[in-house]
Amino acid sequence: MPLQAIQEAAAYIQAQSQNFRPATGIILGTGLGALAREVDVQYEISYADIPHFPVSTVESHAGRLLLGQLNGQPVAVLQGRFHYYEGYTMAQVVLPVRVLKLLGIGQLFVSNAAGGLNPDFSISDLMLLDDHINLLPTNPLIGPNDNQLGPRFPDMYAAYDAGLLAKARAAAEVLGQGRTTQRGVYAAVPGPMLETPAEYRYLRTIGADAVGMSTVPEVIAARHLGLPVLAVSVITDLCYPGQLKPVVIADILAAAAAAEPRLTALMKAVLAAV
Ligand code: HPA
């Protein structure tokens, strides 16, 4: 998607919000919309009204951009994200991240629902991402590079910001969430089907602690833009031998809902620590 489309989307949002300038962008994952209720919302814009924005097709995603204050910090909250499995191009999947960067964000927080591969994890644990493995068939940087967005060969040595990770870890301890806040590697798969038992074993073997169908494209785009990223998975199902059973989407949403208050508290605490 050309830079012009990103600029047009950003210009529309600025016109609707008296040039509101968010400092932090927040992407809310499947079943993880509750943080939005904590935002002192100043402007609410439907994705359907923003030029070039795709409209989310997943029922558990609202499809709204909220601009307002969270814990005294100006935030832009993407309530609903776009997944590769919905049929969007990678450029569409990451458009919101690029638009938020033009609006002025200096950091990106991302949440998602993920299957747990690490046998130490329990349902509804949070996992702070400290690395990822991209198993999606493509990525948002394929194609001609726009140097105004970022470099041709962005470094991924520290995709997840060490300072934000340290703040999140410290916040988890202060909030009494130390035991339920894990840390690990997220593997991104295309979906939309869940994995076979052999695939879960494979993912564990190659070093993943959790698996999901999102996040990595947005993180790649954010790193290309030079944005520090904090990403948190909610472990919604257990995918290691002995624990594996057929996945019921309602159970995933219930596990996400159970973790939401902890996720919200954690993100607010990290914001306040900035
Ligand atoms: N696999 C892939 N994506 C997921 C899973 C899973 O087990 N759980 C939640 N999102």
Side-chain angles (χ1 to χ4, degrees):
M1 199 165 308
L3 185 58
Q4 196 189 333
I6 304 165
Q7 288 166 334
E8 284 170 6
Y12 176 82
I13 295 164
Q14 281 167 332
Q16 298 297 310
S17 66
Q18 300 181 321
N19 293 322
F20 182 91
R21 198 176 161 84
T24 303
I26 303 177
I27 302 177
L28 299 177
T30 302
L32 298 170
L35 179 131
R37 290 198 286 276
E38 309 261 331
V39 178
D40 178 6
V41 178
Q42 290 165 260
Y43 304 96
E44 180 176 323
I45 302 173
S46 169
Y47 289 173
D49 294 332
I50 305 174
H52 311 291
F53 254 54
V55 176
S56 180
T57 66
V58 183
E59 280 170 32
S60 44
H61 288 253
R64 272 190 302 264
L65 170 66
L66 307 178
L67 300 170
Q69 310 291 324
L70 181 61
N71 240 4
Q73 302 287 323
V75 294
V77 179
L78 292 161
Q79 221 182 350
R81 64 143 59 86
F82 307 114
H83 305 82
Y84 185 67
Y85 64 72
E86 293 176 81
Y88 301 119
T89 64
M90 280 293 179
Q92 288 177 305
V93 170
V94 304
L95 175 71
V97 174
R98 290 174 168 162
V99 170
L100 293 193
K101 168 73 178 179
L102 284 195
L103 295 181
I105 65 166
Q107 59 182 0
L108 181 69
F109 294 2
V110 188
S111 67
N112 62 56
L117 301 164
N118 183 324
D120 294 337
F121 292 2
S122 303
I123 295 226
S124 289
D125 278 359
L126 303 183
M127 184 188 89
L128 306 173
L129 276 66
D130 61 13
D131 208 342
H132 73 225
I133 300 172
N134 185 21
L135 298 174
L136 297 169
T138 182
N139 74 69
L141 306 185
I142 298 283
N145 186 57
D146 190 327
N147 290 316
Q148 292 175 83
L149 294 177
R152 171 77 286 188
F153 300 111
D155 177 61
M156 292 295 278
Y157 173 75
Y160 299 89
D161 187 74
L164 287 172
L165 263 172
K167 282 178 188 164
R169 187 68 239 166
E173 296 298 337
V174 169
L175 292 165
Q177 299 179 17
R179 204 178 41 79
T180 55
T181 305
Q182 314 283 357
R183 184 176 167 142
V185 176
Y186 175 93
V189 294
M193 66 288 166
L194 283 295
E195 287 67 44
T196 65
E199 286 167 341
Y200 284 126
R201 286 196 301 275
Y202 160 77
L203 292 165
R204 182 68 187 145
T205 302
I206 64 170
D209 296 291
V211 55
M213 306 173 191
S214 68
T215 300
V216 165
E218 290 117 314
V219 172
I220 291 172
R223 295 306 302 139
H224 184 233
L225 294 160
L227 289 172
V229 176
L230 172 71
V232 186
S233 291
V234 172
I235 303 300
T236 53
D237 48 301
L238 302 179
C239 312
Y240 40 86
Q243 290 292 334
L244 199 55
K245 55 181 173 52
V247 173
V248 179
I249 295 303
D251 291 350
I252 288 189
L253 296 179
E260 266 192 315
R262 274 180 285 120
L263 177 71
T264 302
L266 187 72
M267 285 201 170
K268 280 174 71 177
V270 177
L271 263 188
V274 168

